[in-house]
Amino acid sequence: MRTLRSKPGVLAVLAVAAVTSGSAPAAANATPQAAGSSYTYLEFKKGSDPLDSRLRFVRVQRIGGDRTRTTVLDSWRAGSGNGSKDTCATSQGWLPDGTYTIGTYYPHHDGGPHGVNGIAWDIGNHKCHTGKWRTELFIHSRMLPSGAQGTGPYQWTGTYTSNGCIKLSPHDIRELQSRWNNYPHPRKLYVD
């Protein structure tokens, strides 16, 4: 186990979990909750390539006093944008850093041939460093509204490009859905 600094000055114990990248996450960004509580959050860790970053599902358990145990339950390859690192580029750049509130979960979102379809989470709108708003942001994959694979815009082609949202493979978004259904629902997404 490794001890990491957490906001605001609270120590968190990181139980190194089986992570597909083989690396432990950065310091826990979640704000501690009431004693005895357990909660989860999502963390989007930007890599050197916007199309090869990581989305992590993290569980925090209070183990007494100000002590918590933070465990990465799962980690998946994820992309954001079309390869641009410009966080202010609408429909192109990857997500701006910061804290997002996870909104509505859609098991069967229907955004049409040019929108978000299938399993999706609305992560709201967020300002980039210039103050410009990035809007209509989701965690999603590429599939039919039913969650099945289709053709054309409803078919996964192995690319992680998006219009700035977080994009997972169909297999990985189903794993995220399983975590969502079996643990306390994450309320926050931390992007850095």
Side-chain angles (χ1 to χ4, degrees):
M1 287 192 190
R2 229 170 81 197
T3 302
L4 297 175
R5 186 176 49 81
S6 176
K7 287 183 186 176
V10 175
L11 291 180
V13 178
L14 172 66
V16 179
V19 179
T20 55
S21 68
S23 63
N29 291 320
T31 303
Q33 296 181 355
S37 67
S38 173
Y39 62 98
T40 61
Y41 64 89
L42 297 178
E43 179 181 53
F44 183 72
K45 295 296 291 179
K46 294 178 174 178
S48 59
D49 178 353
L51 304 180
D52 192 7
S53 298
R54 304 297 300 177
L55 181 67
R56 296 177 175 147
F57 192 102
V58 182
R59 181 179 185 193
V60 179
Q61 295 172 286
R62 174 112 18 233
I63 57 174
D66 285 342
R67 294 179 25 220
T68 58
R69 179 176 295 122
T70 303
T71 308
V72 174
L73 296 176
D74 233 323
S75 176
W76 307 277
R77 179 181 174 182
S80 177
N82 65 5
S84 170
K85 292 184 179 181
D86 182 354
T87 61
C88 294
T90 303
S91 299
Q92 298 175 43
W94 64 3
L95 287 176
D97 289 353
T99 302
Y100 295 69
T101 298
I102 299 172
T104 304
Y105 158 62
Y106 299 94
H108 304 287
H109 194 271
D110 188 352
H114 303 290
V116 171
N117 293 287
I119 302 164
W121 288 264
D122 182 350
I123 57 172
N125 304 326
H126 202 84
K127 285 184 183 180
C128 70
H129 64 277
T130 67
K132 178 180 177 181
W133 282 98
R134 295 286 303 279
T135 61
E136 300 180 49
L137 301 172
F138 289 85
I139 299 171
H140 67 92
S141 188
R142 195 165 179 187
M143 55 184 47
L144 290 164
S146 68
Q149 282 294 288
T151 59
Y154 303 105
Q155 181 179 17
W156 174 252
T157 60
T159 179
Y160 288 84
T161 60
S162 71
N163 290 337
C165 299
I166 295 175
K167 189 172 185 183
L168 299 170
S169 74
H171 174 270
D172 292 348
I173 204 158
R174 286 185 189 93
E175 286 188 351
L176 173 56
Q177 182 183 47
S178 176
R179 292 290 186 191
W180 177 271
N181 289 333
N182 291 296
Y183 286 90
H185 296 168
R187 292 182 289 185
K188 297 292 181 185
L189 164 70
Y190 300 97
V191 176
D192 65 358

